Amino acid sequence: MQLLAWFTQWVFSTNTNIRASHAAKQSNNVIIIGCGFSGIGLGVLLQWAGVKFVILEKAEEIGGTWWYNDYPGAAVDVKSHTYCYSFFSKRIWKDTYSFRDEILQYMRDVVLYYQLKQHIRLKVKG
C-alpha cells in the first residue's frame, strides 16, 4: 500500500508540473463540495500537486455520510483495512467492520495529519 501512495504522489506531482506552471497553479482555485471521504481525499491530492483549494461543507463537522448517519450500529460493509486511503493506511482497527465513530476519527486523523483544516469551511449554506 505504501508503494501505491508514493506512486500516486509522484504521478500527481510530475503530471501537475508538466501541465501547469507554478504561477498557473497558484492563480487557479478549486472548490470541493463536501468534506466526506471523497472531498478529503481530493484535498490531499490537490495539496500534493500544489494547487490552491477550499472544501465547502454544509454540516457542522467533517465526515459526510459518516457525520449524518449516527444511528446505532452504523458501520462499514467492507473490511475496515480496505476502507481507508492508500496514502494513509491504518493497520489496526477495533473491529473487522468498523463502526461510525472509528471511521469519523480516522477521517479527522487524515485532516489533522495533512493539515487540511485551514482549507475546510464548515456550516456553508448553499
Side-chain angles (χ1 to χ4, degrees), residues 3-110:
L3 182 60
L4 180 60
W6 289 330
F7 177 74
T8 303
Q9 187 173 3
W10 176 80
V11 166
F12 270 87
S13 65
T14 302
N15 286 343
T16 303
N17 290 334
I18 291 170
R19 294 183 185 149
S21 68
H22 179 71
K25 288 189 284 185
Q26 292 303 311
S27 66
N28 290 295
N29 294 312
V30 175
I31 299 172
I32 302 169
I33 307 298
C35 197
F37 240 83
S38 296
I40 292 170
L42 181 56
V44 171
L45 295 177
L46 289 173
Q47 188 171 2
W48 284 348
V51 176
K52 290 171 66 175
F53 67 95
V54 65
I55 303 173
L56 305 179
E57 173 58 55
K58 69 179 180 179
E60 301 172 19
E61 183 61 66
I62 70 162
T65 296
W66 296 105
W67 170 254
Y68 285 106
N69 293 313
D70 62 349
Y71 57 86
V76 295
D77 57 356
V78 297
K79 292 188 176 181
S80 300
H81 72 279
T82 63
Y83 201 86
C84 59
Y85 302 111
S86 60
F87 53 81
F88 195 80
S89 61
K90 180 176 177 178
R91 298 187 192 281
I92 301 172
W93 295 85
K94 292 179 188 172
D95 299 292
T96 303
Y97 298 91
S98 292
F99 290 93
R100 172 192 181 258
D101 292 344
E102 189 172 10
I103 296 295
L104 272 174
Q105 186 57 53
Y106 169 78
M107 295 171 80
R108 289 181 189 120
D109 292 344
V110 172

